[in-house]
């Protein structure tokens, strides 16, 4: 059971990860993921945590966040990676997309990850380099985040 405190989970993934792997190789992909993790860490509050997740992804826990903070963190991460200056030949330019979900009463950790993954897939399907949130019912761009509580 998850805590009764506000908690959001973000999943951040390198856009077009398979293309990056095919064109630049696995070693370069790992360098990109490491670079992204460094940028992500710099965008977080002291209480937030980041960990590797899946292929080319990072899971980010946002304890005590509200919907606005979670949306802002997702967008801050996305924009920081987008603005990252990478000298030619060191790493190819890359972007990330972010999916965010809130703990909702009755959800376990697997459902929370599933909803964050749905939001990430929506972000990547809509247009790469974007942030989407899953509020328990709908998946919407982070710019549409509202303070209303999510419905189950």
């Amino acid at each position: 059971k998850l805590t009764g405190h506000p908690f959001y989970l973000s999943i951040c993934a390198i856009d077009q990860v398979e293309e990056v792997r095919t064109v630049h190789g696995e070693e370069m992909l790992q360098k990109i993921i490491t670079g992204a993790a460094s940028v992500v860490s710099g965008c977080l509050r002291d209480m937030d945590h980041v960990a590797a997740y899946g292929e080319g992804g990072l899971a980010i826990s946002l304890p005590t966040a509200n919907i606005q903070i979670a949306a802002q963190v997702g967008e801050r991460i996305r924009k920081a990676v987008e603005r990252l200056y990478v000298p030619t030949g060191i790493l190819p330019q890359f972007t990330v997309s972010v999916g965010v979900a809130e703990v909702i009463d009755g959800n376990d950790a697997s459902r929370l990850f599933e909803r964050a993954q749905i939001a990430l897939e929506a972000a990547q399907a809509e247009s790469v380099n974007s942030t989407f949130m899953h509020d328990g019912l709908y998946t919407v761009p982070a710019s549409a985040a509202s303070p209303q509580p999510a419905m189950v």
Side-chain angles (χ1 to χ4, degrees):
K1 173 146 171 49
L2 298 170
T3 70
H5 301 286
F7 182 91
Y8 281 79
L9 172 72
S10 294
I11 298 176
C12 171
I14 307 299
D15 290 325
Q16 293 123 354
V17 69
E18 287 307 317
E19 181 180 329
V20 170
R21 177 181 283 121
T22 301
V23 172
H24 301 286
E26 184 66 31
E27 184 178 333
M28 185 62 75
L29 176 60
Q30 292 308 313
K31 288 179 181 178
I32 289 170
I33 294 168
T34 300
S38 177
V39 171
V40 168
S41 293
C43 295
L44 302 179
R45 304 169 301 165
D46 289 342
M47 67 186 82
D48 301 334
H49 298 281
V50 63
Y53 176 75
E55 287 194 36
L58 301 166
I60 304 146
S61 66
L62 303 166
T64 71
N66 60 37
I67 193 166
Q68 290 86 9
I69 289 172
Q72 288 168 1
V73 169
E75 278 296 281
R76 189 166 50 238
I77 288 167
R78 185 191 64 74
K79 289 176 182 177
V81 170
E82 180 182 54
R83 288 189 311 261
L84 181 65
Y85 171 73
V86 181
T88 305
I90 294 178
L91 292 177
Q93 287 299 133
F94 63 95
T95 59
V96 297
S97 291
V98 182
V100 183
E102 177 187 15
V103 167
I104 295 176
D105 287 342
N107 280 184
D108 60 11
S110 66
R111 180 67 179 130
L112 176 63
F113 271 90
E114 180 183 329
R115 289 189 304 101
Q117 185 68 41
I118 289 168
L120 173 62
E121 290 167 6
Q124 291 179 319
E126 176 72 21
S127 66
V128 296
N129 193 24
S130 61
T131 303
F132 272 63
M133 303 191 67
H134 192 295
D135 68 3
L137 290 177
Y138 304 104
T139 303
V140 297
S143 60
S146 67
Q148 286 79 32
M151 298 171 57
V152 178

